[in-house]
Amino acid sequence: MSKTTIVLGAGMVGTCTALHLQQRGHAVVLVDRRDPGEETSYGNAGIIQCEAVEPYPFPRALGKLLRAAFKRGGDVNYHYSALPALAGPLARYWHNSAPARYPAIAQAYGRLSDHAIAEHAPLIEAAGANDLVQRNGYRWVFRDPATLETALQTAERVAPEHGLRHAALTPDELARAEPALRQRLAGAIDWLDPWSVNDPGELVGRYAALFLRRGGRIARGDARSLRQGTTGWSVRSEEGVLEAEHAVVALGPWSDTLLHPLGYRVPLFVKRGYHRHYTGAVGPMRALLDMDRGLVIAPMKRGVRITTGAEFAHRDASSTPWQLTRAEAAARELIDLPTPVEAQPWRGARPCLPDMKPVIGPAPKHRGLWFNFGHAHQGFTMGPISGRVLAEMVDGDTPRVDPRPYSPARFG
């Protein structure tokens, strides 16, 4: 019997889900309002972060909370108008970050990160995307020796548990490794296993091209037109009405907009982020995460990309890029950034859930409907393994990773 599936959302998660379903014999249509990789997947730091085995917990130290509340740093911003809607999800986020609950969440989260490189590798090869990838890790850099010491303790704890390699760099070693740095820093931690991509959106595009070469279809359509019929699911597209036995919701920060009319109250919220490219000077040798300022400086095809931390706001609210202004100022303390490429910064939204884990699995109330979203900062990293797990579940096979921690049923 023919197996047919509509995948809604052509970001990293949706495109990888389509590829894995296709590999298992499904006739798949990938549906989006834009071309693959042009939304959230376009704007990240381009790092396949296999070292990101623990999600970002809600800060519990009073000093960090006050710093965020009074917007004293550039790593966190918020819109006052969004706080009433965010109060419930953020309270649950804080609750789940407690020491009694966080370790189990981190353990489940890390199981996905552990497979990041192994699942990306064959897709990169098959998609002919090796030219986009550097396999030499990336660096956490530190201005404050105390921050470095705390991070080293974390690295020494998690690295053996997950088979990760890391190395501490002294100030002199860092200066030699990164000659573009303009000031002497406290040191660095080199994570040796992650891979960096110099055009994240293009990598998604190459995966989508692979999907097409293997016989898949990509259609522009409106995910909000999704309807359940007697034999499956349908959605309107520019090609007409598409029908399939299964439908997968992989719409990232737009997933709750689709699911709310179907009776689902998934507590999705977004952390918005900004980036901009700069050219005209020598950039870093590797992507740098400035741990004391909460920004990433990454060499890309279009120039040096500066990415910001989190902005808590309504998904579609007007941009407030003062956070990028602060990130740019912090980056200029470290490297030369002569000329911005874009007239205006890019803005995107990371889809987050209060328990810091994605939703992967069957919809509790509808047969043939599947969820794969909520990966927060790590959809680019976790897309291939999440797509594989979802495809294995659709076919009733034992998934590569135990899917129970990511079940949609946990939200009712």
Side-chain angles (χ1 to χ4, degrees):
M1 181 178 176
S2 176
K3 299 181 288 186
T4 57
T5 305
I6 296 167
V7 177
L8 301 171
M12 180 61 83
V13 173
T15 301
C16 290
T17 301
L19 277 165
H20 278 286
L21 287 164
Q22 183 184 62
Q23 289 173 9
R24 302 178 70 83
H26 288 247
V28 184
V29 184
L30 184 59
V31 178
D32 205 315
R33 63 183 180 178
R34 301 185 66 180
D35 289 337
E38 289 194 351
E39 294 281 6
T40 306
S41 296
Y42 169 79
N44 57 75
I47 306 167
I48 302 173
Q49 285 189 255
C50 58
E51 99 298 340
V53 294
E54 296 183 339
Y56 294 106
F58 198 102
R60 303 182 76 80
L62 181 60
K64 289 186 176 181
L65 288 171
L66 291 174
R67 184 170 182 267
F70 290 100
K71 303 185 182 183
R72 291 175 180 165
D75 51 342
V76 177
N77 186 33
Y78 60 88
H79 290 189
Y80 290 100
S81 61
L83 293 182
L86 288 170
L90 291 181
R92 293 169 70 176
Y93 181 16
W94 181 85
H95 175 79
N96 286 316
S97 299
R101 285 170 288 276
Y102 180 76
I105 290 171
Q107 186 178 49
Y109 185 94
R111 292 192 190 107
L112 295 173
S113 297
D114 286 344
H115 295 277
I117 297 295
E119 293 295 331
H120 268 284
L123 294 179
I124 290 169
E125 188 67 33
N130 284 303
D131 60 302
L132 302 177
V133 182
Q134 287 187 308
R135 295 167 173 82
N136 59 354
Y138 86 113
R139 294 191 167 103
W140 292 0
V141 297
F142 300 85
R143 302 165 188 247
D144 184 348
T147 309
L148 171 59
E149 180 59 31
T150 300
L152 275 171
Q153 293 173 7
T154 299
E156 289 164 3
R157 173 176 56 82
V158 303
E161 296 176 10
H162 296 272
L164 297 167
R165 298 173 299 151
H166 74 286
L169 300 185
T170 66
D172 288 340
E173 289 170 334
L174 176 58
R176 288 193 293 270
E178 293 289 356
L181 286 176
R182 302 172 67 175
Q183 66 172 258
R184 183 179 176 84
L185 299 179
I189 298 174
D190 269 10
W191 289 100
L192 304 176
D193 299 295
W195 293 357
S196 294
V197 177
N198 63 23
D199 191 331
E202 175 63 18
L203 182 62
V204 178
R206 301 271 185 100
Y207 286 179
L210 173 65
F211 169 71
L212 287 174
R213 289 198 300 272
R214 290 176 171 176
R217 295 169 59 198
I218 297 177
R220 288 184 183 264
D222 185 352
R224 295 170 298 179
S225 67
L226 183 70
R227 298 291 183 271
Q228 185 177 33
T230 56
T231 58
W233 295 87
S234 67
V235 66
R236 293 194 303 272
S237 77
E238 292 180 355
E239 301 176 10
V241 176
L242 305 172
E243 297 181 329
E245 178 185 358
H246 300 280
V248 180
V249 179
L251 292 167
W254 296 274
S255 297
D256 59 336
T257 301
L258 173 65
L259 295 176
H260 194 273
L262 295 175
Y264 295 98
R265 300 296 183 267
V266 180
L268 190 74
F269 65 99
V270 301
K271 296 179 186 177
R272 304 200 315 178
Y274 299 82
H275 86 227
R276 204 175 197 180
H277 296 95
Y278 304 81
T279 59
V282 176
M285 301 301 292
R286 300 184 188 178
L288 307 178
L289 171 57
D290 184 341
M291 293 291 285
D292 294 293
R293 297 291 188 271
L295 65 123
V296 174
I297 306 169
M300 296 275 179
K301 284 170 62 175
R302 300 192 67 194
V304 175
R305 178 179 289 188
I306 307 300
T307 68
T308 70
E311 181 179 70
F312 294 91
H314 293 302
R315 184 192 63 208
D316 300 321
S318 298
S319 295
T320 49
W322 73 266
Q323 200 174 17
L324 184 66
T325 300
R326 290 196 176 189
E328 179 187 286
R332 289 186 189 279
E333 294 172 359
L334 301 184
I335 65 170
D336 193 14
L337 294 175
T339 308
V341 173
E342 298 90 353
Q344 297 296 327
W346 178 91
R347 187 195 79 222
R350 310 172 183 107
C352 303
L353 290 159
D355 63 0
M356 294 163 274
K357 297 177 295 184
V359 171
I360 308 171
K365 302 174 185 177
H366 295 83
R367 180 180 177 85
L369 184 63
W370 303 83
F371 299 167
N372 197 356
F373 60 85
H375 296 75
H377 299 259
Q378 298 301 333
F380 189 76
T381 294
M382 297 178 176
I385 182 60
S386 297
R388 174 174 178 165
V389 169
L390 194 283
E392 289 165 340
M393 295 179 74
V394 171
D395 280 355
D397 294 336
T398 301
R400 176 78 169 172
V401 175
D402 182 357
R404 287 176 293 181
Y406 326 113
S407 172
R410 71 188 193 266
F411 296 118

